[in-house]
Amino acid sequence: METPLPAVEHGRSTLSVTRPLKEPERARREKILAAARELARQGGPEATTIRAVAVRAGTTPVTVYRYFPSKDHLLLHLMVDWSVRVIADLTARNYAGADAERVAAGFADIIGWAADERLLLTAGMSAIGSPDLSGDGLSVWRELFTGLVRAILTDPAWDDTEGKALTLGHVLLACLLDLTTSRATAAQSSDHITTAARLIFR
């Protein structure tokens, strides 16, 4: 099947690196991301410092900054990477039924997966809206939200002409924020997102 989210894949490669990477540089960057992901899963954003990431990746803070201008750039990449993996998982689910029910079920699954990765998502969510990102933090969201719906509907040509995915995506961000700040349980967030999906896609 066609890649459901080329713009996010493109954004993932260029969010903080504006030149093409050679293979050794790409491998070094992926190693830094893997180290950051491990630290975020273990201790959230507080544990994911540039120095700690550098030590875990076997490199220096200067090298980390070469690929990621700030901690928030690095954390946003973790969020985008997680989202790309979610899209693959949604595509594999092959949801059935009317569009509203399929989208509701898919977004409920997203909340469940987020709850399973609460510390990682807390780290990623902490970077959204950061002034360090100069707008980059929001630049990929429209394509991301559209990609989530395309994956659920298994329709790579689906277009968000009515803004349904964008609207539901903002509800998703609010639910993830509630979930990662411990103001809501996974069940509560799941109820909120499924209600919103049914209303928006009915």
Side-chain angles (χ1 to χ4, degrees), residues 40-58:
R41 281 175 170 153
Q42 292 166 6
E46 294 81 9
T48 319
T49 65
I50 295 294
R51 182 171 297 280
V53 169
V55 169
R56 180 70 62 99

Side-chain angles (χ1 to χ4, degrees), residues 79 82-83 107 110-115 118 121-122 125 128 141 145 169-182 189 193:
M79 187 75 175
W82 181 81
S83 300
F107 274 73
I110 294 170
I111 293 296
W113 296 330
R118 194 181 298 259
L121 266 290
T122 300
M125 290 296 293
I128 293 176
W141 296 120
F145 300 148
H170 281 87
V171 177
L172 175 64
L173 287 180
C175 288
L176 291 176
L177 186 61
D178 280 346
L179 188 64
T180 56
T181 56
S182 300
S189 293
I193 201 70

Side-chain angles (χ1 to χ4, degrees), residues 58-186:
T59 188
T60 66
V62 171
T63 300
V64 176
Y65 281 121
R66 185 180 305 158
Y67 298 97
F68 303 98
S70 71
K71 173 179 173 177
D72 284 335
H73 277 86
L74 180 56
L75 294 180
L76 183 62
H77 269 276
L78 295 182
M79 187 75 175
V80 172
D81 280 355
W82 181 81
S83 300
V84 170
R85 291 195 302 275
V86 162
I87 285 171
D89 291 340
L90 290 171
T91 302
R93 285 291 175 113
N94 197 18
Y95 297 95
D99 285 357
E101 291 306 313
R102 293 163 73 188
V103 173
F107 274 73
D109 281 341
I110 294 170
I111 293 296
W113 296 330
D116 291 342
E117 294 264 32
R118 194 181 298 259
L119 287 176
L120 176 63
L121 266 290
T122 300
M125 290 296 293
S126 73
I128 293 176
S130 164
D132 285 348
L133 298 175
S134 301
D136 285 341
L138 298 176
S139 64
V140 298
W141 296 120
R142 178 182 286 275
E143 283 298 321
L144 169 61
F145 300 148
T146 301
L148 293 172
V149 175
R150 286 175 178 165
I152 292 166
L153 298 179
T154 58
D155 181 2
W158 185 86
D159 194 17
D160 193 24
T161 54
E162 298 178 333
K164 292 181 177 181
L166 184 62
T167 302
L168 186 57
H170 281 87
V171 177
L172 175 64
L173 287 180
C175 288
L176 291 176
L177 186 61
D178 280 346
L179 188 64
T180 56
T181 56
S182 300
R183 289 201 301 263
T185 65

Side-chain angles (χ1 to χ4, degrees), residues 16-37:
S16 59
V17 180
T18 56
R19 58 184 173 78
L21 295 177
K22 297 177 181 176
E23 190 54 42
E25 293 175 311
R26 191 184 309 277
R28 191 176 301 119
R29 183 167 168 272
E30 290 302 320
K31 188 173 183 181
I32 290 167
L33 280 168
R37 191 176 300 112

